[in-house]
Amino acid sequence: MPDTPPASTDTRPAPDWDVLADWGRRIADWGAAYHRDLRDRPVRAPLQPGRLRAALPPAPPETAEPMAAIWADLETHVMPGLTHWQHPRFFAYFPANAAPPSILAEFVTAILAPQCMLWQTSPSATELETHVLDWLRQALGLPESFQGVIQDSASSATLAAVLVMRERALDWQGNAQGLSGQKRLRLYVSVEAHSSVERAAWVAGIGSENLVRLPASGPGRSIDPADLRAAIARDHADGHLPAGLIACIGATGAGACDNLRDLLPVARAAGLYTHVDAAWAGSAMICPEFRTLWEGVEGADSVVMNPHKWLGAHFDCAAHFVRAPDDLVRTLAIRPEYLKTHGADGVIDYSEWSIPLGRRFRALKLWFVLRYYGLDGLRAMIRDHVRWSVALAARLRADPRFEIVTEPVLSLFTFRLKGQGDDAQIAYLGRINDDGRIYLTQTRVDGQIVLRFQVGAFAATQADIQLAGDVLAELS
Ligand SMILES: *Cc1c(COP(=O)(O)O)cnc(C)c1O
């Protein structure tokens, strides 16, 4: 019997869209209930190393399992080991808000799952990204000379900026020729800079020994412009190649802010490329009264701020603004034939502005969030957070058991138990976090351990900050 295909033995089910409809509804209800009752859960997960792995089968499943079984294990085994980042009394690190409109946008993105690397791989995604970032640029008070791209994280934006620094300093030959035989490239940062700057120096091949860490001083804990000038002159004299300044606005430890107004002209005069890391504090720049913190920012070449921290858009959403996208494209674009877009001149292929090729549809959540709250709604929230944090700092200052170590920068301040050593501070922090009603983390300021307090959760209320004050006093 020629030409008769064998009977199909393929009994695999087609993708089951009923499971999406059914579980999608259930998960939406579960999610709303989770958030409504979140205040009653301890913020930080209990720390029991190995607990989850001991509960899971050692080998992968050979046969299909029903969604209900998977879900039951999520509830039983996974949920107890999660720290609740959306908890209203999450005061640790910086926030990573995921507001309801952003959840909906991420759900849509999960359904459509487009790859947004080139304009033609989803024209609307590219154009929405251009448009929403221009909205955000206006909201932040940045001049029209900046254009934006959404990077997956501030770390990636900083790495991209450091690569531009490298390429510019090497007359655009670094990608082709590598760094061997070159002069030492030098980058200037504050001692307060985020660890992502050091990693960018590693990954870019520049090396942490060529990261010149300048002291932070004065009320804002800024690099002193005279120190920057002297460091650049010293490096020139030593035959090195000064390449870039990475300034921080709202550093992670205690909110240090470099004085952009005075530092950027020094860097520019020396021919450096300048990048401003405002990953957390940048969100607050939608409020005009806070913009004094980054006065002079219009003189930077590159600025990053994270809507995924304080504006309610899910991680990953880092807004990276640059004055000359051509520098970024010249550094990062690579164009094999299969990535060329023919017949559409003047379109933006955002993969040429970032390090990975593949890109999620990240503009959608920002578009949803900005429209759902409006800038007024977001400003009101940030102003509340700042006001409540300042009030708590005042309460602790008035209490003889505490000492405010760094004054509030926006909604972040640091404090410690007065007259006690580092071990006592760590033990105190342990009592607080084991208690579970609030969650704080620590840092070092001038060598000593301090506790950080920042308000940033979208779900936080004034009563939550009041309760935080009560817990701090009770457990002191
Ligand atoms: C959070 C933070 C970063 C890192 O942000 P990612 O988006 O997680 O890479 C970098 N710099 C500062 C100042 C930050 O607060």
Side-chain angles (χ1 to χ4, degrees):
M1 292 211 297
D3 294 327
T4 309
S8 172
T9 57
D10 185 354
T11 56
R12 280 178 294 116
D16 177 5
W17 299 119
D18 291 342
V19 83
L20 173 62
D22 178 15
W23 283 91
R25 263 183 227 104
R26 288 203 221 181
I27 289 173
D29 289 341
W30 171 87
Y34 165 81
H35 279 283
R36 269 186 221 113
D37 300 339
L38 197 43
R39 243 183 209 89
D40 301 333
R41 299 194 190 226
V43 191
R44 194 198 64 188
L47 306 178
Q48 299 166 345
R51 189 200 53 84
L52 175 66
R53 294 209 57 199
L56 298 178
E62 289 292 344
T63 54
E65 297 186 66
M67 194 60 219
I70 303 169
W71 186 262
D73 285 347
L74 168 76
E75 293 261 37
T76 311
H77 298 308
V78 179
M79 288 301 294
L82 291 179
T83 290
H84 300 287
W85 279 74
Q86 305 308 316
H87 197 294
R89 292 190 299 273
F90 182 99
F91 303 117
Y93 306 99
F94 279 137
N97 285 296
S102 179
I103 297 175
L104 296 175
E106 285 289 72
F107 191 30
V108 173
T109 301
I111 291 168
L112 303 174
Q115 274 293 345
C116 307
M117 52 204 187
L118 308 176
W119 176 83
Q120 72 165 0
T121 61
S122 268
S124 290
T126 294
E127 292 181 18
L128 193 63
E129 184 161 338
T130 307
H131 205 80
V132 174
L133 281 191
D134 194 63
W135 281 4
L136 188 58
R137 174 193 67 72
Q138 296 173 50
L140 299 170
L142 290 174
E144 262 177 73
S145 46
F146 282 92
Q147 292 181 60
V149 54
I150 304 181
Q151 307 281 13
D152 55 15
S153 61
S155 305
S156 289
T158 296
L159 174 56
V162 166
L163 290 169
V164 173
M165 291 170 189
R166 186 188 80 183
E167 289 305 296
R168 258 179 101 253
L170 295 178
D171 207 13
W172 312 99
Q173 297 304 309
N175 279 337
Q177 298 176 359
L179 297 182
S180 73
Q182 292 291 354
K183 291 180 179 179
R184 279 171 169 256
L185 295 175
R186 304 289 272 179
L187 305 177
Y188 306 90
V189 293
S190 157
V191 290
E192 300 283 338
H194 190 264
S195 56
S196 56
V197 176
E198 177 163 4
R199 286 210 289 192
W202 296 351
V203 176
I206 292 171
S208 42
E209 286 179 9
N210 292 310
L211 201 57
V212 182
R213 294 172 197 272
L214 300 168
S217 59
R221 305 177 76 78
S222 166
I223 299 173
D224 183 330
D227 287 347
L228 175 63
R229 202 178 286 113
I232 294 170
R234 207 161 42 239
D235 281 341
H236 274 303
D238 290 344
H240 303 330
L241 200 50
L245 168 72
I246 298 118
C248 57
I249 297 297
T252 315
C257 291
D258 282 321
N259 174 348
L260 300 181
R261 197 195 51 207
D262 295 342
L263 287 168
L264 294 179
V266 173
R268 220 180 9 253
L272 304 189
Y273 189 85
T274 54
H275 174 66
V276 174
D277 175 3
W280 161 69
S283 293
M285 302 304 138
I286 64 172
C287 306
E289 71 272 28
F290 297 137
R291 291 185 192 148
T292 47
L293 282 184
W294 75 359
E295 192 189 338
V297 67
E298 62 283 347
D301 293 304
S302 166
V303 179
V304 67
M305 53 79 64
N306 280 345
H308 69 229
K309 279 185 170 153
W310 208 0
L311 285 187
H314 277 70
F315 188 90
D316 48 353
C317 187
H320 184 193
F321 293 96
V322 289
R323 273 202 300 166
D326 282 355
D327 287 345
L328 205 52
V329 170
R330 210 166 164 191
T331 301
L332 297 175
I334 189 159
R335 287 180 191 150
E337 182 58 32
Y338 55 80
L339 289 179
K340 286 184 184 153
T341 298
H342 295 287
D345 285 341
V347 300
I348 296 177
D349 291 333
Y350 276 122
S351 59
E352 301 191 332
W353 297 41
S354 35
I355 292 156
L357 172 64
R359 312 180 77 247
R360 306 176 66 244
F361 187 8
R362 294 182 288 231
L364 193 68
K365 55 195 168 191
L366 197 50
W367 190 51
F368 273 36
V369 166
L370 290 175
R371 296 184 61 188
Y372 185 85
Y373 292 104
L375 291 176
D376 259 353
L378 295 167
R379 285 187 198 110
M381 183 142 30
I382 285 174
R383 285 172 178 146
D384 276 347
H385 293 168
V386 172
R387 200 167 45 242
W388 297 339
S389 180
V390 167
L392 180 63
R395 176 175 166 187
L396 298 187
R397 195 182 298 109
D399 185 328
R401 287 170 291 185
F402 299 106
E403 165 192 2
I404 301 296
V405 180
T406 57
E407 292 296 325
V409 174
L410 300 169
S411 66
L412 168 69
F413 67 89
T414 65
F415 67 101
R416 41 190 274 141
L417 293 171
K418 197 181 263 174
Q420 304 202 31
D422 283 355
D423 290 347
Q425 314 296 337
I426 293 286
Y428 176 45
L429 183 67
R431 288 196 297 283
I432 293 167
N433 292 338
D434 289 343
D435 172 84
R437 284 173 288 173
I438 64 176
Y439 182 26
L440 268 59
T441 43
Q442 79 289 345
T443 188
R444 275 185 195 276
V445 172
D446 299 331
Q448 59 175 7
I449 294 279
V450 298
L451 278 68
R452 294 170 77 256
F453 189 91
Q454 67 77 28
V455 184
F458 268 36
T461 63
Q462 191 162 16
D464 290 311
I465 283 67
Q466 214 102 49
L467 178 64
D470 297 346
V471 171
L472 292 176
E474 182 189 320
L475 300 176
S476 68

